[in-house]
Amino acid sequence: MKLPWLMSGVLGTLSVLLISLSAEAARLQSWQFNQAQNQLIFSTDEPVQPRVQLLTDPVRLVIDLPNTSLERRRIREDGDGAIDEIEIRREDDDTARIVIELENEYTIDPTQVIVQGTSQTGWSVQLPPPRRLSRAERRANRDRETRIPIEVIPYVDAAVIQTVEVATNGRGVTIRADRPLTDYTSGWDQATSTYQIRIPQARLARDFTNPTLDNRSPLLSLRAQQAESDVVIGLQPAPGVQIGEISRVSQSLALSLAGRPQRRFVPGGTTRTRILPPLDQLPNVANQRVLIVIDPGHGGRDPGAIGIGGLRETDIVLEVSLRVAELLQQNGAEIILTRADEREVGLEPRVALANRANADIFVSIHANAISMSRPDVNGVETYFYSSAAGRELSAYLLDSLLEATGMNNRGVKEARFFVLRRTNMPASLVELGFVTGAEDAPRLADSNFRELLAKAVARGILQYIVDTF
Ligand SMILES: [Zn+2]
């Protein structure tokens, strides 16, 4: 007798629930063959390791479940179309066998059979569409039994990432999964200039699509990708937007974003070449109406680092900062200095000053130090924290300093400095060189060199404004 599920084609499925009394082995709990999809699914009450092979004469797919019991010795259901029958039986004392037998003149391509664990105890067997054998093939196959083993893809317990979205208010990014995501890492990736959240043992949902971003989005890019067994979500904040904290809310991760997106960079963002004018032709930014906070590090009772020959950080950075401020003012910017003389100012009031003034840019100026026993360490580096705009500003400053001085390049770096973390605008911290460095110290002591440093810092800031605002 033909069963209605096989004839109804599209919707037809058949479920048989089998309950065994045996407690020793796994039990086959349910199976279902969906004719529309050519797919068998089955489940057991305990994990099993199926063995699957394609046998010929007649062509049949044989699924053995070792150490699995059946309540009934044998179940047979007639098939329709190219499927002749589906049989479930005890193969021996402790093996259950599912056989999908094809009609005489049909076969399937064994390389296209996909046997895959869908849970600890669930499996799906996807068959390709059966193909009619040619007369010659039928003749050749007659009375010749072949066995072709089929690969079984075990179930991997991976979190499924379902969606990645920017909140409609632009204040965050939400990553939704099918379970709580307890294990993740995040941080800036230097190579791609993106902020990355890496979720191990995860995969993207089958229908996953990356969101599209419009030009008001707080992000320049947002992409989730499979990286072997991990899912990596990379994003680049728009200028003016800062990366905040990640929090876990049931089955989601929420990354908060702060700040408002400013005008966009040209495509390519931080990776494009910065074209710097000569030091004696600093660009004028009067039209941009910008307010810049220059923050000379340390001061007063805190001299900062002390290096070769008693060279003091505070002296260098105050002189350079005052000159930077002067140069910026001459070229159309409004300036606030967090200190203009030798006095002590805490970190908190420096930040508060910049935030209250609603400044457009914050640049903190320092000189570097390491142990006196390491005069070999020399060079300039700039720092940002978490925002693409801060990183970009830092890159301008570093490029300008390197071009002007030929100092050793120690790169643009990310660090959780208070003045970078707490300021609301693009912010950078410049380390002008090492007061403990054999190469740097004599140059930092020289007022002509300090003038060169001041011009280079001013140029970096001004060119950043010209290109970005
Ligand atoms: Zn310092």
Side-chain angles (χ1 to χ4, degrees):
M1 194 192 100
K2 304 273 180 179
L3 294 163
W5 62 275
L6 281 171
M7 290 188 280
S8 68
V10 178
L11 297 169
T13 58
L14 175 74
S15 279
V16 176
L17 194 66
L18 304 159
I19 295 165
S20 161
L21 296 174
S22 162
E24 321 289 279
R27 291 173 301 183
L28 182 63
Q29 282 205 311
S30 68
W31 64 274
Q32 184 175 40
F33 187 82
N34 185 323
Q35 165 165 315
Q37 292 172 16
N38 258 338
Q39 186 187 48
L40 171 77
I41 57 175
F42 62 90
S43 68
T44 51
D45 64 345
E46 297 287 332
V48 296
Q49 186 52 56
R51 288 189 304 261
V52 183
Q53 48 192 334
L54 188 71
L55 273 55
T56 55
D57 195 36
V59 175
R60 59 203 190 278
L61 190 73
V62 174
I63 301 150
D64 282 331
L65 310 178
N67 205 27
T68 302
S69 62
L70 284 176
E71 192 198 346
R72 286 155 67 188
R73 171 150 287 280
R74 192 166 188 222
I75 301 161
R76 281 184 57 176
E77 303 289 358
D78 286 338
D80 196 8
I83 308 285
D84 183 49
E85 67 168 25
I86 295 170
E87 181 188 41
I88 298 177
R89 65 167 189 257
R90 281 183 212 159
E91 174 61 11
D92 53 47
D93 275 353
D94 48 27
T95 302
R97 170 169 279 194
I98 304 173
V99 180
I100 303 171
E101 189 171 319
L102 273 68
E103 288 285 358
N104 237 330
E105 61 272 32
Y106 284 87
T107 190
I108 51 174
D109 178 353
T111 66
Q112 289 191 42
V113 178
I114 299 165
V115 184
Q116 193 161 25
T118 55
S119 71
Q120 297 290 359
T121 54
W123 295 86
S124 89
V125 178
Q126 181 64 56
L127 306 184
R131 175 178 70 81
R132 207 179 250 281
L133 288 165
S134 70
R135 191 175 295 231
E137 282 174 312
R138 260 181 283 161
R139 227 185 348 258
N141 283 353
R142 192 168 302 149
D143 302 325
R144 246 192 43 213
E145 187 170 287
T146 58
R147 289 166 179 271
I148 302 163
I150 307 251
E151 188 197 0
V152 173
I153 304 163
Y155 170 66
V156 178
D157 190 21
V160 179
I161 306 301
Q162 289 160 333
T163 58
V164 175
E165 286 167 341
V166 181
T168 45
N169 65 4
R171 291 305 195 180
V173 174
T174 306
I175 300 156
R176 281 194 186 79
D178 66 340
R179 69 194 68 185
L181 300 169
T182 48
D183 193 18
Y184 59 87
T185 55
S186 62
W188 284 95
D189 178 59
Q190 301 286 338
T192 57
S193 292
T194 56
Y195 186 83
Q196 294 194 339
I197 300 167
R198 178 176 285 267
I199 302 164
Q201 288 298 309
R203 62 182 176 81
L204 295 172
R206 204 168 279 211
D207 59 352
F208 181 87
T209 50
N210 275 299
T212 47
L213 306 173
D214 63 30
N215 62 2
R216 288 168 313 170
S217 169
L219 301 178
L220 299 178
S221 66
L222 175 59
R223 263 193 89 67
Q225 279 175 301
Q226 194 74 47
E228 296 183 6
S229 62
D230 302 352
V231 166
V232 176
I233 295 136
L235 56 94
Q236 198 171 33
V241 174
Q242 293 94 44
I243 300 287
E245 304 289 317
I246 298 175
S247 53
R248 200 150 59 74
V249 187
S250 73
Q251 302 187 350
S252 299
L253 288 182
L255 169 70
S256 68
L257 300 172
R260 291 195 164 278
Q262 297 168 358
R263 242 181 69 190
R264 287 303 159 73
F265 294 132
V266 296
T270 58
T271 55
R272 79 176 187 280
T273 321
R274 284 164 281 275
I275 298 162
L276 296 164
L279 280 175
D280 56 1
Q281 289 170 33
L282 297 181
N284 190 289
V285 295
N287 291 335
Q288 278 88 347
R289 309 182 64 84
V290 286
L291 174 59
I292 301 165
V293 171
I294 297 296
D295 175 46
H298 312 280
R301 283 183 305 169
D302 167 21
I306 301 193
I308 296 170
L311 183 62
R312 302 194 325 156
E313 180 181 3
T314 183
D315 297 333
I316 301 164
V317 301
L318 183 59
E319 192 182 328
V320 170
S321 297
L322 290 171
R323 184 70 181 126
V324 168
E326 203 177 352
L327 290 164
L328 292 174
Q329 226 158 18
Q330 283 168 10
N331 289 285
E334 268 187 73
I335 292 301
I336 295 175
L337 278 154
T338 56
R339 68 175 177 103
D341 53 19
E342 207 50 69
R343 73 174 67 190
E344 198 173 10
V345 184
L347 297 178
E348 197 101 56
R350 296 174 195 244
V351 168
L353 182 65
N355 288 345
R356 263 204 315 273
N358 204 14
D360 299 296
I361 286 175
F362 182 95
V363 175
S364 190
I365 297 178
H366 288 249
N368 228 332
I370 193 167
S371 146
M372 292 294 266
S373 63
R374 293 297 306 276
D376 55 311
V377 178
N378 293 275
V380 59
E381 60 197 21
T382 59
Y383 285 91
F384 72 103
Y385 177 68
S386 100
S387 83
R391 166 189 282 268
E392 184 83 348
L393 173 61
S394 300
Y396 272 84
L397 285 162
L398 183 70
D399 279 9
S400 183
L401 282 160
L402 295 175
E403 195 277 341
T405 65
M407 290 170 87
N408 182 37
N409 179 3
R410 290 174 57 86
V412 173
K413 299 174 176 176
E414 184 176 22
R416 298 174 54 84
F417 291 138
F418 186 91
V419 293
L420 300 180
R421 239 168 54 220
R422 295 295 185 85
T423 40
N424 297 334
M425 64 290 307
S428 179
L429 186 145
V430 180
E431 294 279 11
L432 292 172
F434 282 77
V435 294
T436 49
E439 239 175 83
D440 288 354
R443 301 183 82 183
L444 291 169
D446 176 353
S447 62
N448 289 324
F449 188 72
R450 292 180 188 178
E451 169 69 14
L452 190 66
L453 290 171
K455 281 184 173 164
V457 169
R459 177 176 64 175
I461 296 170
L462 293 167
Q463 193 59 43
Y464 168 77
I465 293 164
V466 167
D467 290 351
T468 309
F469 280 67

mmCIF file of all heavy atoms in Angstrom, residues 368-389:
data_model
loop_
_atom_site.group_PDB
_atom_site.id
_atom_site.type_symbol
_atom_site.label_atom_id
_atom_site.label_comp_id
_atom_site.label_asym_id
_atom_site.label_seq_id
_atom_site.Cartn_x
_atom_site.Cartn_y
_atom_site.Cartn_z
ATOM 1 N N ASN A 368 58.979 60.276 26.278
ATOM 2 C CA ASN A 368 59.032 58.893 26.720
ATOM 3 C C ASN A 368 60.253 58.617 27.581
ATOM 4 O O ASN A 368 61.207 59.394 27.562
ATOM 5 C CB ASN A 368 59.086 57.985 25.487
ATOM 6 C CG ASN A 368 58.090 56.849 25.580
ATOM 7 O OD1 ASN A 368 57.747 56.424 26.679
ATOM 8 N ND2 ASN A 368 57.642 56.378 24.442
ATOM 9 N N ALA A 369 60.205 57.505 28.320
ATOM 10 C CA ALA A 369 61.369 57.102 29.111
ATOM 11 C C ALA A 369 61.339 55.607 29.322
ATOM 12 O O ALA A 369 60.280 54.983 29.313
ATOM 13 C CB ALA A 369 61.358 57.802 30.466
ATOM 14 N N ILE A 370 62.512 55.068 29.471
ATOM 15 C CA ILE A 370 62.670 53.663 29.849
ATOM 16 C C ILE A 370 63.866 53.666 30.782
ATOM 17 O O ILE A 370 64.419 54.724 31.073
ATOM 18 C CB ILE A 370 62.828 52.778 28.586
ATOM 19 C CG1 ILE A 370 62.681 51.289 28.907
ATOM 20 C CG2 ILE A 370 64.127 53.054 27.850
ATOM 21 C CD1 ILE A 370 62.528 50.415 27.659
ATOM 22 N N SER A 371 64.251 52.526 31.288
ATOM 23 C CA SER A 371 65.397 52.478 32.219
ATOM 24 C C SER A 371 66.638 53.170 31.633
ATOM 25 O O SER A 371 66.878 53.114 30.427
ATOM 26 C CB SER A 371 65.705 51.010 32.521
ATOM 27 O OG SER A 371 67.069 50.810 32.692
ATOM 28 N N MET A 372 67.416 53.815 32.512
ATOM 29 C CA MET A 372 68.647 54.481 32.070
ATOM 30 C C MET A 372 69.641 53.493 31.464
ATOM 31 O O MET A 372 70.561 53.882 30.770
ATOM 32 C CB MET A 372 69.297 55.206 33.261
ATOM 33 C CG MET A 372 68.500 56.390 33.769
ATOM 34 S SD MET A 372 68.392 57.751 32.572
ATOM 35 C CE MET A 372 69.771 58.750 33.128
ATOM 36 N N SER A 373 69.432 52.219 31.747
ATOM 37 C CA SER A 373 70.342 51.212 31.191
ATOM 38 C C SER A 373 69.958 50.814 29.754
ATOM 39 O O SER A 373 70.549 49.915 29.184
ATOM 40 C CB SER A 373 70.345 49.970 32.085
ATOM 41 O OG SER A 373 69.048 49.405 32.093
ATOM 42 N N ARG A 374 68.935 51.495 29.209
ATOM 43 C CA ARG A 374 68.512 51.172 27.836
ATOM 44 C C ARG A 374 68.603 52.390 26.907
ATOM 45 O O ARG A 374 67.604 52.804 26.291
ATOM 46 C CB ARG A 374 67.071 50.639 27.825
ATOM 47 C CG ARG A 374 66.875 49.286 28.500
ATOM 48 C CD ARG A 374 67.644 48.167 27.807
ATOM 49 N NE ARG A 374 67.352 48.079 26.382
ATOM 50 C CZ ARG A 374 66.290 47.427 25.877
ATOM 51 N NH1 ARG A 374 65.445 46.818 26.661
ATOM 52 N NH2 ARG A 374 66.096 47.386 24.573
ATOM 53 N N PRO A 375 69.794 52.979 26.759
ATOM 54 C CA PRO A 375 69.935 54.142 25.870
ATOM 55 C C PRO A 375 69.690 53.778 24.402
ATOM 56 O O PRO A 375 69.547 54.671 23.560
ATOM 57 C CB PRO A 375 71.386 54.575 26.100
ATOM 58 C CG PRO A 375 72.090 53.338 26.557
ATOM 59 C CD PRO A 375 71.084 52.568 27.345
ATOM 60 N N ASP A 376 69.645 52.465 24.131
ATOM 61 C CA ASP A 376 69.408 52.003 22.749
ATOM 62 C C ASP A 376 67.962 52.170 22.320
ATOM 63 O O ASP A 376 67.639 52.057 21.141
ATOM 64 C CB ASP A 376 69.815 50.532 22.639
ATOM 65 C CG ASP A 376 69.107 49.661 23.671
ATOM 66 O OD1 ASP A 376 69.098 50.039 24.874
ATOM 67 O OD2 ASP A 376 68.520 48.631 23.292
ATOM 68 N N VAL A 377 67.074 52.429 23.279
ATOM 69 C CA VAL A 377 65.646 52.573 22.923
ATOM 70 C C VAL A 377 65.347 54.036 22.605
ATOM 71 O O VAL A 377 65.468 54.906 23.464
ATOM 72 C CB VAL A 377 64.736 52.062 24.061
ATOM 73 C CG1 VAL A 377 63.273 52.264 23.700
ATOM 74 C CG2 VAL A 377 65.024 50.593 24.360
ATOM 75 N N ASN A 378 64.966 54.283 21.370
ATOM 76 C CA ASN A 378 64.704 55.638 20.885
ATOM 77 C C ASN A 378 63.517 55.624 19.936
ATOM 78 O O ASN A 378 63.196 54.597 19.350
ATOM 79 C CB ASN A 378 65.926 56.165 20.115
ATOM 80 C CG ASN A 378 67.130 56.381 21.007
ATOM 81 O OD1 ASN A 378 67.278 57.418 21.634
ATOM 82 N ND2 ASN A 378 68.003 55.363 21.096
ATOM 83 N N GLY A 379 62.884 56.778 19.769
ATOM 84 C CA GLY A 379 61.863 56.859 18.736
ATOM 85 C C GLY A 379 60.583 57.516 19.193
ATOM 86 O O GLY A 379 60.364 57.782 20.377
ATOM 87 N N VAL A 380 59.722 57.752 18.241
ATOM 88 C CA VAL A 380 58.472 58.454 18.463
ATOM 89 C C VAL A 380 57.311 57.475 18.300
ATOM 90 O O VAL A 380 57.377 56.544 17.493
ATOM 91 C CB VAL A 380 58.366 59.668 17.496
ATOM 92 C CG1 VAL A 380 58.429 59.234 16.044
ATOM 93 C CG2 VAL A 380 57.135 60.492 17.763
ATOM 94 N N GLU A 381 56.271 57.660 19.120
ATOM 95 C CA GLU A 381 55.062 56.833 18.990
ATOM 96 C C GLU A 381 53.848 57.680 19.375
ATOM 97 O O GLU A 381 53.969 58.656 20.123
ATOM 98 C CB GLU A 381 55.148 55.572 19.865
ATOM 99 C CG GLU A 381 55.302 55.829 21.351
ATOM 100 C CD GLU A 381 55.797 54.596 22.126
ATOM 101 O OE1 GLU A 381 56.385 53.689 21.527
ATOM 102 O OE2 GLU A 381 55.589 54.570 23.341
ATOM 103 N N THR A 382 52.705 57.319 18.826
ATOM 104 C CA THR A 382 51.475 58.040 19.177
ATOM 105 C C THR A 382 50.423 57.023 19.601
ATOM 106 O O THR A 382 50.439 55.880 19.165
ATOM 107 C CB THR A 382 50.944 58.886 18.005
ATOM 108 O OG1 THR A 382 50.671 58.027 16.888
ATOM 109 C CG2 THR A 382 51.941 59.962 17.588
ATOM 110 N N TYR A 383 49.528 57.477 20.464
ATOM 111 C CA TYR A 383 48.530 56.589 21.055
ATOM 112 C C TYR A 383 47.111 57.092 20.815
ATOM 113 O O TYR A 383 46.869 58.294 20.779
ATOM 114 C CB TYR A 383 48.734 56.491 22.570
ATOM 115 C CG TYR A 383 49.902 55.643 22.964
ATOM 116 C CD1 TYR A 383 51.154 56.209 23.132
ATOM 117 C CD2 TYR A 383 49.751 54.279 23.153
ATOM 118 C CE1 TYR A 383 52.238 55.430 23.503
ATOM 119 C CE2 TYR A 383 50.832 53.487 23.517
ATOM 120 C CZ TYR A 383 52.076 54.071 23.688
ATOM 121 O OH TYR A 383 53.131 53.300 24.050
ATOM 122 N N PHE A 384 46.220 56.129 20.698
ATOM 123 C CA PHE A 384 44.794 56.444 20.658
ATOM 124 C C PHE A 384 44.096 55.415 21.537
ATOM 125 O O PHE A 384 44.710 54.446 21.990
ATOM 126 C CB PHE A 384 44.256 56.355 19.227
ATOM 127 C CG PHE A 384 44.160 54.951 18.708
ATOM 128 C CD1 PHE A 384 42.945 54.307 18.644
ATOM 129 C CD2 PHE A 384 45.299 54.256 18.314
ATOM 130 C CE1 PHE A 384 42.858 52.988 18.192
ATOM 131 C CE2 PHE A 384 45.220 52.949 17.866
ATOM 132 C CZ PHE A 384 43.999 52.319 17.802
ATOM 133 N N TYR A 385 42.801 55.647 21.778
ATOM 134 C CA TYR A 385 42.027 54.620 22.456
ATOM 135 C C TYR A 385 40.682 54.438 21.784
ATOM 136 O O TYR A 385 39.885 55.352 21.714
ATOM 137 C CB TYR A 385 41.838 54.944 23.939
ATOM 138 C CG TYR A 385 40.978 53.910 24.629
ATOM 139 C CD1 TYR A 385 41.454 52.629 24.806
ATOM 140 C CD2 TYR A 385 39.680 54.201 25.038
ATOM 141 C CE1 TYR A 385 40.670 51.654 25.393
ATOM 142 C CE2 TYR A 385 38.902 53.249 25.629
ATOM 143 C CZ TYR A 385 39.398 51.968 25.806
ATOM 144 O OH TYR A 385 38.625 50.997 26.366
ATOM 145 N N SER A 386 40.502 53.294 21.192
ATOM 146 C CA SER A 386 39.233 52.704 20.740
ATOM 147 C C SER A 386 38.517 53.400 19.568
ATOM 148 O O SER A 386 37.682 52.783 18.947
ATOM 149 C CB SER A 386 38.270 52.490 21.912
ATOM 150 O OG SER A 386 37.322 53.499 21.997
ATOM 151 N N SER A 387 38.801 54.631 19.219
ATOM 152 C CA SER A 387 38.028 55.212 18.119
ATOM 153 C C SER A 387 38.867 55.292 16.846
ATOM 154 O O SER A 387 40.079 55.487 16.893
ATOM 155 C CB SER A 387 37.518 56.608 18.475
ATOM 156 O OG SER A 387 38.514 57.583 18.242
ATOM 157 N N ALA A 388 38.195 55.127 15.724
ATOM 158 C CA ALA A 388 38.883 55.227 14.440
ATOM 159 C C ALA A 388 39.400 56.639 14.231
ATOM 160 O O ALA A 388 40.462 56.847 13.641
ATOM 161 C CB ALA A 388 37.926 54.841 13.312
ATOM 162 N N ALA A 389 38.638 57.632 14.734
ATOM 163 C CA ALA A 389 39.067 59.019 14.559
ATOM 164 C C ALA A 389 40.349 59.282 15.356
ATOM 165 O O ALA A 389 41.281 59.923 14.863
ATOM 166 C CB ALA A 389 37.956 59.962 15.005
#
